[in-house]
Amino acid sequence: MAESKPNRTTDESTSAVPKAVISRLSLYLRELQHLLRNDEETTNSARLGQLLGITDAQVRKDLAHFGQFGYPGIGYRCEELASRIKTILGTDREWPVALVGVGNLGQALLGYKGFNDQGFRISVAFDLAPSKVGSQIAGIPVFHLDRLPEIVSREKIQLAILAVPSDTAQSVADQLVAAGISGILNFAPVTITSSGDVAVVGVDLAIELEQLSFAVVKQADKN
Amino acid sequence: MAESKPNRTTDESTSAVPKAVISRLSLYLRELQHLLRNDEETTNSARLGQLLGITDAQVRKDLAHFGQFGYPGIGYRCEELASRIKTILGTDREWPVALVGVGNLGQALLGYKGFNDQGFRISVAFDLAPSKVGSQIAGIPVFHLDRLPEIVSREKIQLAILAVPSDTAQSVADQLVAAGISGILNFAPVTITSSGDVAVVGVDLAIELEQLSFAVVKQADKN
DNA sequence: TGGTGTGAATGCCTTCACAGCG
DNA sequence: CGCTGTGAAGGCATTCACACCA
């Protein structure tokens, strides 16, 4: 229950938490859930750090941004810490998600189980193709893109997954924003520019492979 | 942007080039290819920076790690710079890629066009299910996992995409390493620990959504 | 003039080291 | 003891500002 400690001057409102910390928070949560499945009750910063390849100090510093969760001499209670991190990330609730673009990748994402485990539920999908509109895929109804504003508003959907071709991605993103979406996970290999208070996270599958090929080439050069 | 992260690889501090620079390199390349499709011959650091939401100085500093590509008073020649970046990333050649796990996500990746455009070609797939082994999906043959070492060696495959269930991911990763793979793109939501000179890049789709939900919650708190 | 390449300064993140507490 | 939480130190990465060049 420890409340925030930082008695620095004017820090509170501008809680500038480094972006890197947030992405590690998700990793901590993932490891904690793994520990919980193995019936581990407690863990500590050294253990968590080792699992992720970072230092123990880093783990403690990261968590310190959000309060005090640990017990000196003991470590952290897995269940409690996982719960606290979920609250921070916002995954202590269930998020309905809209998916746009029921192509190759889109269909796979509709069936991806991993989302549900973390509180995300794809509740509707959108596409343009008459062959898809009106059908259900993996139990999720597919609507015409025209109905985006109506349904997003009715279902109070805040998050969207964008899995459309590159050349239409920006245009569809604009429609998502206009429909009231506040966060977009973009799989199209283009930069989405959003005006206003919309968060955009991009996942470019080819770029991930490029990072690998660089690593492999670099490694080869060493020998 | 994903990316990128404390997903332990074989870093070996000799990396004179910051990891963040490498991931931006891929973004520069993506924008350059976009400019080229629009028949733009030259660009400059301010333009590139604007497209990616970073400063012009950052762009120049990043490129400076690898030599001098610019022309004072002009900027950069799109074609030349793109070509140079490809050489740096190693995507100036074609990489055969093995995919393991022909499930929901794996099948979508088999059909994903974006890989080919950047020089990656999924040439074989592996699975355990008898119903899949022996078939072709999106024109790519599916073999039993047992034949991994044989085929990887024969086809001289260095990169692999891991799209198997979480509980088998580490074990399959070990088999990939044993088979001689040097780079793994892991889609299972677990940390893969690799011994030796193997690069691992992880993509956790649920984590990307978590980053979004955090951003949305944070934004909401502000009001 | 317009824009690169780069030392210097700034700011951010990570690591260190240890006080404090159960 | 064991392990957290945290000021202080250290190390990088980003930004600034300007010499220099076509």
Side-chain angles (χ1 to χ4, degrees), chain B residues 99-121:
Chain B
L99 182 140
V100 187
V102 188
N104 209 4
L105 186 59
Q107 287 188 38
L109 296 174
L110 284 178
Y112 185 64
K113 304 293 189 309
F115 291 140
N116 304 305
D117 300 336
Q118 302 303 322
F120 302 103
R121 184 175 48 85

Side-chain angles (χ1 to χ4, degrees), chain A residues 97-213:
Chain A
V97 178
L99 182 139
V100 186
V102 188
N104 210 4
L105 186 58
Q107 289 188 38
L109 296 174
L110 284 179
Y112 185 64
K113 304 291 190 308
F115 291 140
N116 304 306
D117 300 336
Q118 302 301 324
F120 302 102
R121 184 175 48 84
I122 301 182
S123 55
V124 290
F126 296 92
D127 205 303
L128 291 176
S131 63
K132 286 165 188 159
V133 171
S135 71
Q136 290 212 350
I137 296 179
I140 296 152
V142 181
F143 297 101
H144 191 279
L145 191 57
D146 289 345
R147 302 187 59 188
L148 192 61
E150 166 206 342
I151 294 171
V152 161
S153 159
R154 189 180 71 207
E155 308 282 333
K156 300 194 173 23
I157 298 173
Q158 298 184 81
L159 301 180
I161 297 175
L162 191 52
V164 303
S166 298
D167 51 359
T168 60
Q170 180 64 59
S171 149
V172 174
D174 293 341
Q175 295 178 62
L176 284 168
V177 174
I181 289 289
S182 345
I184 298 175
L185 179 54
N186 171 40
F187 283 91
V190 293
T191 304
I192 296 293
T193 60
S194 68
S195 52
D197 303 324
V198 180
V200 179
V201 169
V203 175
D204 186 322
L205 301 175
I207 282 185
E208 306 297 339
L209 274 183
E210 285 174 13
Q211 302 298 301
L212 268 187
S213 78

